[in-house]
């Protein structure tokens, strides 16, 4: 039995964290012994892990992300020594630089693989800049790097030439094998059209563009409702924008929803207005319920999942008029909705736990 030690920040809410949980479960199903060192307790997704997967917790919880990461390094060292893994894997830039710095300092020769999840050009501020500089010094020492999209891999290779040739492109696990799939494609849109958005209420997701999109729909006479799942620091300002636009009877903020399945089932179209992404897990989740997606062609991810006009649509970043036009075209029947739904459903099955875990395992076995 191969043993893998995984180093991660708090396993909570994000798409990367949900992917990690699914990957760990998939590896366990494939016969791996899995142990995870987490920097913080209380991650909402921990309960989704298989009971046989061991978690190594800090003695006390530290709320600061940076401090919790630094305080976890001695415990990570202890686990490497006692667990004696065949392979160490970390996910996201903070844990990656901490792991590789530790291995370099102690001359640990166990194979190490790092996973990157977002565009490095958006690492900013004091902490982000520090992490970026450490990445430049350490990422070249990893046995392999795994990126969730080709665009993100190329961005890292431009920033860190030492990583050129070390990347494998493996998408995130967007759906569980246990998902209850829609049995067949959807045949027609609801009236009013049921629009759905899923994601944190932060600048990256560019919800103002989405709200301007539905404002255009209202002015065109298109009947709709939009439900937004997520919370974040922009919630109040977005609600104020909705009131100013006079669309409070059509737009509903549902807050953070741990299991959005019922919302996917009742929706017609997923909207994604992001300025940037690493992959776009919600695109795959929506497609697994037969939902076509209208998304911005942002760097990176959506264009690697969505086939224009086949299972969804891509529009320029910030272009609310183009996004509204795609929805109106669907409503008018200029595009056959049932065909999009069927293609979306088929596309989603490329991203299930079994398929993606097998791809990870192939890379892992290649360095052991």
């Amino acid at each position: 039995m191969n043993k893998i030690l995984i180093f991660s920040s708090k396993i909570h809410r994000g798409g990367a964290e949900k992917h990690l949980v699914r990957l760990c479960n998939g590896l366990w199903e494939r016969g791996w012994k899995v142990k995870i060192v987490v920097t913080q307790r209380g991650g909402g997704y921990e309960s989704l892990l298989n009971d046989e997967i061991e978690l190594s917790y800090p003695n006390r919880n530290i709320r600061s992300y940076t401090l919790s990461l630094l305080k976890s390094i001695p415990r990570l060292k202890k686990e490497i020594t006692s667990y004696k893994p065949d392979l160490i894997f970390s996910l996201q830039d903070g844990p990656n630089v901490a792991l590789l710095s530790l291995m370099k300092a102690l001359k640990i020769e166990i194979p190490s693989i790092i996973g990157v999840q977002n565009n490095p050009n958006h690492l900013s501020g004091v902490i982000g800049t520090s992490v970026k500089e450490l990445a430049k010094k350490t990422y070249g020492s990893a046995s392999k790097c795994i990126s969730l999209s080709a665009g993100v891999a190329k961005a890292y290779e431009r920033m860190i030439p030492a990583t050129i040739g070390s990347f494998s492109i493996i998408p995130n696990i967007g759906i569980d094998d246990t998902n209850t799939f829609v049995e067949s494609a959807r045949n027609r849109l609801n009236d009013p059209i049921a629009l759905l958005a899923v994601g944190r209420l932060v600048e990256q997701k560019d919800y103002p563009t989405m709200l301007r999109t539905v404002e255009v729909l209202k002015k065109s006479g298109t009947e709709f409702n939009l439900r937004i799942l997520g919370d974040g620091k922009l919630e109040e300002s977005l609600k104020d924008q909705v009131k100013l636009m006079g669309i409070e009877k059509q737009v509903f903020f549902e807050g953070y929803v741990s299991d959005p399945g019922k919302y996917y089932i009742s929706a017609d179209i997923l909207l994604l207005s992001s300025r940037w992404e690493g992959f776009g897990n919600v695109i795959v989740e929506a497609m697994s319920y037969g939902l076509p997606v209208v998304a911005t062609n942002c760097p990176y991810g959506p264009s690697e999942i969505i086939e224009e006009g086949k299972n969804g649509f891509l529009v320029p970043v910030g272009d609310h008029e183009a996004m509204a036009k795609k929805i109106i075209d669907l409503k008018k029947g200029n595009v056959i909705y049932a065909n999009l739904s069927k293609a979306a459903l088929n596309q989603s099955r490329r991203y299930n736990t079994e398929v993606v875990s097998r791809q990870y395992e192939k890379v892992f076995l290649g360095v052991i």
Side-chain angles (χ1 to χ4, degrees):
M1 177 182 287
N2 292 308
K3 295 168 64 176
I4 184 170
L5 183 67
I6 294 174
F7 185 42
S8 170
S9 54
K10 189 175 183 179
I11 306 175
H12 189 58
R13 289 200 181 186
E17 291 79 5
K18 186 178 286 187
H19 160 68
L20 181 63
V21 166
R22 290 166 172 165
L23 175 62
C24 290
N25 289 339
L27 290 172
W28 183 86
E29 290 286 346
R30 299 187 69 78
W32 288 68
K33 186 175 182 181
V34 181
K35 186 170 188 176
I36 310 172
V37 178
V38 293
T39 62
Q40 293 171 300
R41 289 176 177 268
Y45 290 150
E46 288 179 10
S47 62
L48 302 178
L49 285 165
N50 187 290
D51 291 340
E52 298 296 321
I53 294 173
E54 187 178 351
L55 282 163
S56 173
Y57 291 113
N59 292 327
R60 64 186 182 89
N61 232 15
I62 300 171
R63 298 186 70 176
S64 164
Y65 171 82
T66 305
L67 192 56
S68 67
L69 187 62
L70 293 172
K71 290 285 188 180
S72 294
I73 292 175
R75 187 162 46 88
L76 176 61
K77 175 187 173 183
K78 181 180 178 181
E79 292 290 357
I80 291 172
T81 302
S82 61
Y83 186 62
K84 295 181 172 57
D86 300 302
L87 171 70
I88 308 172
F89 174 66
S90 60
L91 189 68
Q92 302 198 78
D93 292 298
N96 290 346
V97 297
L99 170 64
L100 294 176
S101 297
L102 175 66
M103 296 187 72
K104 184 177 181 180
L106 299 181
K107 298 181 180 179
I108 297 170
E109 296 184 357
I110 299 169
S112 60
I113 294 179
I114 59 171
V116 295
Q117 288 279 307
N118 225 322
N119 187 341
N121 297 321
H122 295 286
L123 287 170
S124 59
V126 175
I127 295 173
T129 301
S130 298
V131 168
K132 186 185 294 187
E133 291 306 309
L134 283 170
K136 291 176 182 178
K137 295 176 181 178
T138 59
Y139 275 21
S141 65
S143 304
K144 286 285 290 185
C145 305
I146 295 176
S147 173
L148 72 176
S149 68
V152 167
K154 289 176 182 176
Y156 274 94
E157 288 177 341
R158 285 192 294 269
M159 186 178 82
I160 311 171
T163 63
I164 294 174
S166 68
F167 272 99
S168 292
I169 313 303
I170 305 177
N172 276 3
I173 301 171
I175 53 175
D176 290 310
D177 291 343
T178 55
N179 268 19
T180 302
F181 290 101
V182 176
E183 291 297 325
S184 60
R186 297 154 186 249
N187 293 319
R188 58 187 176 84
L189 293 158
N190 289 306
D191 192 10
I193 299 174
L195 305 173
L196 181 66
V198 182
R200 293 168 297 136
L201 307 183
V202 294
E203 289 87 350
Q204 175 192 350
K205 304 301 182 180
D206 194 13
Y207 281 104
T209 287
M210 189 181 299
L211 295 180
R212 286 191 289 272
T213 295
V214 295
E215 184 183 32
V216 171
L217 294 182
K218 183 178 180 181
K219 290 177 179 177
S220 73
T222 303
E223 293 190 7
F224 71 93
N225 60 66
L226 168 63
R227 298 191 181 278
I228 299 174
L229 312 187
D231 55 16
K233 62 182 181 180
L234 298 183
E235 183 171 349
E236 291 307 315
S237 65
L238 291 170
K239 287 180 176 178
D240 289 342
Q241 185 178 349
V242 165
K243 290 179 182 178
L244 286 171
M245 290 177 166
I247 52 176
E248 61 266 38
K249 292 183 179 179
Q250 289 87 16
V251 179
F252 306 93
F253 291 87
E254 304 289 350
Y256 170 72
V257 177
S258 60
D259 182 5
K262 69 177 183 179
Y263 291 95
Y264 285 126
I265 289 170
S266 61
D268 294 313
I269 301 168
L270 179 83
L271 300 183
L272 183 77
S273 53
S274 296
R275 295 174 182 171
W276 74 89
E277 287 286 346
F279 178 65
N281 283 20
V282 295
I283 296 175
V284 175
E285 285 187 351
M287 286 182 170
S288 75
Y289 288 89
L291 287 187
V293 179
V294 180
T296 48
N297 191 11
C298 64
Y300 301 99
S303 65
E304 297 181 37
I305 306 170
I306 297 171
E307 297 180 56
E308 175 65 24
K310 184 177 179 181
N311 54 29
F313 298 101
L314 295 165
V315 301
V317 173
D319 193 339
H320 63 280
E321 294 280 357
M323 184 169 277
K325 185 178 185 303
K326 296 298 185 183
I327 299 167
I328 292 169
D329 283 346
L330 277 168
K331 177 65 174 176
K332 289 181 176 178
N334 296 341
V335 180
I336 300 174
Y337 179 76
N339 290 350
L340 287 174
S341 177
K342 182 178 180 180
L345 198 59
N346 290 336
Q347 176 78 332
S348 71
R349 294 191 168 107
R350 296 173 52 191
Y351 305 98
N352 68 26
T353 303
E354 168 63 23
V355 171
V356 179
S357 295
R358 194 185 313 124
Q359 295 175 52
Y360 266 86
E361 183 179 47
K362 183 177 180 180
V363 175
F364 289 170
L365 292 175
V367 301
I368 293 177

